[in-house]
Amino acid sequence: MVKNIQSVINGVNICVDYKVELIGILITLSDESSIEQFKILFEFDKNNDEYVRTIKNTFSYLKQNGFIDEFNKIKNKYYLHYQEPIELMLMLDENFNTDILEEFLGYKPEQDFYDFINNLKEFSQDPIFINFYNDNIDRYKSWIESLIPFYKKFNMSDILSKYCGEKYKNLKLYNNLIAFETSGGYGIDVDNNIHYCTRANSCRLTKDNLLFSSFDDESYLKLTTHEFLHGIVNPITEKFGVFTQESNYLIKLEKLNSCGYSTDESLINETIVRTITMRICSQFIKDYDINNLLNKLYDFGFTYIKGIYELMIEYENNREIYPNIDSIYEKIIKVVIMQKTSN
């Protein structure tokens, strides 16, 4: 048997989820690193070499028995890239069942997807996986322990609910630590639980195999605030349904925006998240040059950020009118589309 390794600090569950590690093993062995657009996710594997090498050696039989080929077909057919495989694992219960699979994919999958989920369940019960996971429990605990001082110093649950609204106070925050992600992290919402999924163990910015150990608290505050906010902001954008993967209010889909976001949905989410992150971090970081950062982001290609920044000031000064971040979102839509029209 395997179980999640976790510690709760100021309402934040710092967790190594065995189902997330399970899918991480498959991604590590998959063709993901050979796909041009995903190569960046694997470029720092050499700094996590021991764990990755152990995965490749221990589970080489998955290539021989065809399971990795099956996974490659499924992930490419159903676009299980970036945060999608993590989100899928987090929505599965202990029996690998979920009642929101069609909502997650946006349509009813074919039988091959259900067969894959059943094979994942069998893999989780494989003695080789169970032994591997249990042999690495001390490693997983060290990942968690390296983050505890930060979450003792900064009450992220309180910080985010105060800024985004009381309605978010009871949402559970999780830091799920994963082995295969190597270029940052993902903030996602699963069943009203906000997860910041971040690569664990060493990376180019760390030392002594401790997660983000060379980050000072202020740098990590920026990073974790940003990613947790994606778990709040992205669902709001989806709920309003104006800025989507297909809409063309902000940018032309056939051409990357200069800041690297190719759809209205991704651009507006990133712009709002970066704006709120600046506002929150300015409360905790001494000599935080918010105007300089705002101008840099604008010059970098976030052309709607100054209008949204002004709205955040209005939001902060009128919380009796705007009890939560959702309540000003309609105004964000109007301001952004008006700016686009006037350009």
Side-chain angles (χ1 to χ4, degrees):
M1 292 290 293
V2 294
K3 61 181 181 179
N4 295 340
I5 310 300
Q6 54 196 353
S7 181
V8 180
I9 308 297
N10 279 331
V12 176
N13 189 331
I14 311 172
C15 177
V16 175
D17 188 298
Y18 77 89
K19 295 190 298 296
V20 173
E21 289 301 308
L22 189 82
I23 201 74
I25 289 169
L26 299 188
I27 291 178
T28 299
L29 297 171
S30 74
D31 64 0
E32 197 81 344
S33 63
S34 65
I35 300 175
E36 187 63 35
Q37 70 191 99
F38 305 120
K39 283 183 177 179
I40 189 174
L41 300 180
F42 296 86
E43 66 178 352
F44 304 125
D45 269 357
K46 63 181 181 297
N47 294 317
N48 199 16
D49 192 50
E50 179 191 354
Y51 190 64
V52 172
R53 185 172 60 249
T54 303
I55 286 174
K56 291 179 177 179
N57 290 337
T58 304
F59 299 100
S60 60
Y61 72 97
L62 297 178
K63 289 188 175 182
Q64 298 167 5
N65 68 14
F67 191 33
I68 296 303
D69 287 338
E70 177 192 357
F71 175 64
N72 286 332
K73 292 176 183 176
I74 290 295
K75 74 177 177 63
N76 293 327
K77 179 177 179 178
Y78 295 98
Y79 203 78
L80 297 181
H81 303 293
Y82 297 112
Q83 81 278 7
E84 299 294 330
I86 306 168
E87 189 170 350
L88 173 63
M89 292 298 99
L90 293 174
M91 69 175 59
L92 295 176
D93 63 22
E94 295 304 306
N95 292 314
F96 283 67
N97 295 321
T98 177
D99 57 1
I100 58 172
L101 182 57
E102 291 184 35
E103 180 182 336
F104 165 67
L105 291 173
Y107 54 88
K108 182 177 177 60
E110 297 179 21
Q111 185 59 41
D112 58 353
F113 197 90
Y114 295 102
D115 292 340
F116 170 67
I117 297 297
N118 287 332
N119 288 337
L120 274 179
K121 181 180 179 180
E122 290 183 11
F123 180 33
S124 73
Q125 298 168 347
D126 187 328
I128 297 177
F129 171 72
I130 293 173
N131 290 336
F132 168 84
Y133 186 87
N134 288 332
D135 286 345
N136 279 282
I137 283 180
D138 286 342
R139 181 193 303 271
Y140 302 149
K141 288 180 178 178
S142 74
W143 293 351
I144 291 171
E145 289 169 0
S146 68
L147 283 177
I148 287 176
F150 171 83
Y151 285 101
K152 283 185 175 179
K153 181 174 182 179
F154 294 101
N155 188 328
M156 293 306 303
S157 183
D158 187 59
I159 290 170
L160 290 171
S161 63
K162 280 183 177 178
Y163 194 93
C164 295
E166 192 71 15
K167 65 176 290 186
Y168 294 104
K169 188 172 183 61
N170 294 323
L171 293 184
K172 297 178 182 178
L173 307 181
Y174 294 85
N175 261 51
N176 289 93
L177 308 180
I178 58 180
F180 58 88
E181 163 59 27
T182 59
S183 68
Y186 302 111
I188 56 179
D189 171 79
V190 180
D191 194 26
N192 285 330
N193 296 321
I194 303 170
H195 296 260
Y196 166 31
C197 302
T198 182
R199 178 182 187 267
N201 209 3
S202 59
C203 70
R204 62 176 176 165
L205 296 175
T206 69
K207 57 186 179 181
D208 301 328
N209 283 344
L210 293 179
L211 179 63
F212 297 123
S213 60
S214 66
F215 270 16
D216 57 53
D217 285 345
E218 292 180 354
S219 296
Y220 192 63
L221 174 66
K222 298 173 190 175
L223 179 64
T224 194
T225 299
H226 179 110
E227 295 303 341
F228 272 134
L229 280 169
H230 270 298
I232 295 174
V233 171
N234 291 19
I236 299 174
T237 297
E238 185 175 352
K239 179 183 71 175
F240 276 85
V242 175
F243 304 118
T244 68
Q245 298 289 338
E246 292 77 29
S247 67
N248 195 17
Y249 288 105
L250 310 184
I251 56 183
K252 293 185 180 298
L253 296 180
E254 70 273 10
K255 184 179 181 181
L256 276 177
N257 181 273
S258 60
C259 59
Y261 294 89
S262 58
T263 69
D264 284 0
E265 184 176 14
S266 62
L267 180 58
I268 198 65
N269 285 337
E270 191 67 17
T271 305
I272 294 172
V273 164
R274 289 184 182 235
T275 305
I276 298 176
T277 298
M278 285 191 292
R279 294 302 305 160
I280 289 177
C281 289
S282 66
Q283 302 172 29
F284 297 93
I285 300 176
K286 185 179 179 181
D287 300 324
Y288 188 68
D289 194 346
I290 199 166
N291 289 325
N292 181 50
L293 180 56
L294 186 64
N295 288 328
K296 283 184 177 179
L297 289 171
Y298 178 84
D299 293 340
F300 188 58
F302 291 99
T303 54
Y304 305 95
I305 198 166
K306 291 187 176 181
I308 293 175
Y309 183 85
E310 292 176 1
L311 283 178
M312 289 303 102
I313 301 297
E314 179 182 340
Y315 167 77
E316 293 169 22
N317 292 334
N318 297 277
R319 291 301 298 275
E320 72 283 359
I321 300 174
Y322 306 112
N324 51 57
I325 203 68
D326 313 47
S327 59
I328 200 170
Y329 196 92
E330 191 169 350
K331 199 162 187 177
I332 291 175
I333 295 172
K334 293 178 181 178
V335 167
V336 168
I337 292 179
M338 185 180 301
Q339 179 182 336
K340 173 64 177 178
T341 305
S342 64
N343 288 343

